[in-house]
Amino acid sequence: MLLANRHSITRRDLIRSAATGMISLAMRADIMGSPSLAKPPNIVFILADDLGYADVSCYGRPDLDTPNIDRIAKRGMRFLHGYANSAVCSATRTALITGRYQYRLRLGLEEPLAGNPNVGLPPEHPTLPSLLKKAGYSSTLVGKWHLGVLPKFGPLRSGYDHYYGFRGGAVDYFSHIGGQEREDLWDDDVLIHQVGYLTALLGSRAVDVVNTYAKSGQPFMVSLHFNAPHWPWEAPGDEAESERLQQPGSGGLHDFDGGSQKTYQRMIEEMDRQIGHVLQALDANGLTENTIIIFTSDNGGERFADTWPFTGKKTELLEGGLRIPTLISWPARIPQGRTSEQVAISMDWMPTLLAAASAEPDPSYPPDGMNLLPTLTQNVEPLSRKLFWRYKANAQRAVRDGDYKFLKILDNTFLFNVVEDPLERANLKDRQKDVYHRLVREWNDWNASMLPEIKESFTHSFNGKELADHFGAKESDQMPDIPDPSDD
């Protein structure tokens, strides 16, 4: 159970948290005592980039076919209330790898990280791969990093044993050129030049990694972090588009005048094809039964995405910017073909996977996320969650508490029931004043426990001066709390 702070703990919270802890301990004993699970599970964590909630067929998109992603859902569980920790890339990835709110780290204030070589994931901070290593795991990251650049930061400095992929926020799918017109494809810490469509290269390397780990017999984690379907809008066979984007005046990687629904669909379908190759490798090596496979996205979809039944997209704290497809299979432990109403968020995966691996978090860095194992493996009723977000652009703030969601965009505030009203149309703040006032206070209490927003961090909408001017914060780096109407 995630709590706002120590002052807001209720008797119900304590009982619910205690129950969750007892179930988790029972689950760990059951897993360790099962003859069929003498070995800890392998982990394949598949992360799409800017994928909308409904951008795969098992979440309702009728105009494309994703049989391999759907296979994960059929073999396991599909979450209906899966959230990203942020509406943008590197902030969510910070929460994912640490199991904590990204706002606890300077890196997490970047929305997203762009052009600051002195900001990144501190190598001394415990991470999912570094903690799994203590439990005997090997791990490889294949794909996108975007948590800081060499020489100070990198996957090999934060717990991964091997790395193949790109370090920045985006690269061309064919030339592998990223920001500042430089190639950005790496094998461990060596810059390499390789010909091929990047989604296919990442899938092929992931297959090789699975095959190598299968021979070793050692438990492993493969983090397969695709750049698809992030811009530039290039599907297999679109080399001519790649060459066009390299010309002066084209708009470059952002590809503002390119793309189409058909191109976007082909990008997703190629990602699905490569996921199929990884699933086949697990099958061929007899690893599927005891491998945890997770598929999700880093935030909501961008311009061509389908976020139905939600409003909003990437960089927005509306549901469409935060709600993401979230699938998990573990045939040995998770019943097949289930859906879950449990509210889940990116930072839950670290404590969940550590528990499945009989590993422990670092006591000096306790997770903010929740262990989802009881939800995954037993018929446990969904636990009510209290989750918090903020996003510097447009001064966005949000809380999800049970069915209710508080939302602020600039000077506009809202209260929605996102279960009954997923489109966020009916503003209930006047009808449910007690709920609205409580969530505002709790957001302010939570925000006070995080690092303050600062003018120097990157944001999509405002630059630092514009943001400071908007808030009247010329003499301070900290952004003001939300005024509570009940204090008037």
Side-chain angles (χ1 to χ4, degrees), residues 7 9 48 73 99 135 166 192 241 259 324 333 344 352 404 417 428 445 447 485:
H7 301 294
I9 297 176
F166 62 102
I192 62 173
E241 179 67 1
I324 50 177
R333 300 301 308 173
T352 300
Y404 288 102
N417 184 318
L428 303 175
D445 290 342
N447 187 52

Side-chain angles (χ1 to χ4, degrees), residues 19-64:
T20 302
M22 287 187 289
I23 292 171
S24 299
L25 288 172
M27 280 302 308
R28 177 172 296 179
D30 180 46
I31 289 171
M32 295 178 67
S34 172
S36 64
L37 292 178
K39 292 184 177 181
N42 302 305
I43 300 164
V44 176
F45 197 103
I46 306 170
L47 189 66
D49 198 347
D50 293 0
L51 189 74
Y53 179 83
D55 274 338
V56 293
S57 50
C58 64
Y59 276 88
R61 183 139 188 175
D63 55 348
L64 56 80

Side-chain angles (χ1 to χ4, degrees), residues 446-466:
W446 166 83
N447 187 52
S449 70
M450 299 292 126
L451 293 179
E453 290 172 315
I454 57 175
K455 293 178 288 185
E456 293 81 6
S457 63
F458 182 82
T459 182
H460 266 93
S461 293
F462 289 119
N463 63 38
K465 182 178 185 302
E466 289 171 335

Side-chain angles (χ1 to χ4, degrees), residues 4-23:
N5 54 57
R6 62 186 178 88
H7 301 294
S8 63
I9 297 176
T10 65
R11 183 174 180 271
R12 177 179 294 180
D13 292 329
L14 289 171
I15 294 171
R16 183 178 291 131
S17 297
T20 302
M22 287 187 289
I23 292 171

Side-chain angles (χ1 to χ4, degrees), residues 149-449:
V149 298
L150 291 173
K152 293 184 177 181
F153 312 106
L156 304 186
R157 288 157 176 74
S158 289
Y160 284 106
D161 297 302
H162 303 286
Y163 172 57
Y164 173 86
F166 62 102
R167 298 176 185 273
V171 292
D172 186 275
Y173 284 79
F174 294 95
S175 69
H176 314 144
I177 291 175
Q180 300 179 334
E181 301 299 318
R182 297 175 181 172
E183 289 195 53
D184 187 13
L185 185 60
W186 301 78
D187 198 338
D188 287 340
D189 284 346
V190 178
L191 184 66
I192 62 173
H193 178 80
Q194 191 171 1
V195 176
Y197 185 71
L198 188 53
T199 303
L201 293 178
L202 299 179
S204 177
R205 177 56 68 96
V207 168
D208 291 343
V209 172
V210 168
N211 289 334
T212 299
Y213 280 139
K215 294 175 183 176
S216 73
Q218 184 178 14
F220 64 84
M221 179 177 73
V222 177
S223 298
L224 176 53
H225 295 185
F226 287 105
N227 56 324
H230 193 290
W231 43 260
W233 315 112
E234 299 168 352
D238 287 346
E239 289 92 342
E241 179 67 1
S242 173
E243 293 173 2
R244 183 185 75 85
L245 294 178
Q246 296 177 48
Q247 303 305 311
S250 68
L253 289 179
H254 291 87
D255 200 3
F256 294 119
D257 61 349
S260 67
Q261 283 289 340
K262 183 57 65 178
T263 298
Y264 185 74
Q265 292 162 19
R266 290 166 54 218
M267 294 168 72
I268 293 173
E269 288 172 346
E270 178 61 24
M271 177 174 64
D272 181 81
R273 186 176 298 110
Q274 296 304 321
I275 291 171
H277 294 163
V278 176
L279 299 182
Q280 290 167 9
L282 293 170
D283 289 343
N285 287 288
L287 299 176
T288 300
E289 181 74 7
N290 196 30
T291 295
I292 298 172
I293 303 172
I294 295 168
F295 174 83
T296 188
S297 180
D298 58 349
N299 46 251
E302 228 222 39
R303 67 189 85 166
F304 295 114
D306 185 351
T307 62
W308 182 261
F310 309 116
T311 302
K313 293 187 183 295
K314 176 182 176 179
T315 75
E316 298 172 342
L317 297 188
L318 291 155
E319 291 291 284
L322 293 172
R323 200 83 74 96
I324 50 177
T326 306
L327 307 171
I328 182 170
S329 70
W330 184 11
R333 300 301 308 173
I334 300 175
Q336 296 189 17
R338 295 172 59 194
T339 59
S340 176
E341 298 283 345
Q342 176 64 59
V343 174
I345 192 169
S346 308
M347 63 186 176
D348 292 340
W349 292 120
M350 192 188 85
T352 300
L353 293 173
L354 290 180
S358 299
E360 298 288 344
D362 188 314
S364 299
Y365 300 85
D368 293 312
M370 183 178 91
N371 175 11
L372 297 171
L373 269 186
T375 295
L376 297 170
T377 59
Q378 297 184 1
N379 190 23
V380 176
E381 287 293 316
L383 295 178
S384 181
R385 301 291 299 278
K386 192 173 293 182
L387 300 175
F388 300 86
W389 294 268
R390 71 185 192 208
Y391 195 78
K392 195 170 73 171
N394 299 328
Q396 297 177 77
R397 285 84 176 85
V399 183
R400 168 90 192 248
D401 184 11
D403 294 354
Y404 288 102
K405 178 181 175 183
F406 162 75
L407 176 67
K408 177 179 180 292
I409 306 173
L410 291 175
D411 295 325
N412 305 296
T413 57
F414 310 88
L415 178 69
F416 299 114
N417 184 318
V418 292
V419 174
E420 296 181 358
D421 176 27
L423 279 171
E424 296 173 283
R425 291 290 192 259
N427 189 357
L428 303 175
K429 74 173 187 178
D430 291 328
R431 291 176 57 187
Q432 304 267 5
K433 290 183 179 180
D434 55 337
V435 176
Y436 172 77
H437 293 165
R438 175 176 60 81
L439 293 184
V440 168
R441 287 193 296 271
E442 290 179 352
W443 187 93
N444 282 322
D445 290 342
W446 166 83
N447 187 52
S449 70

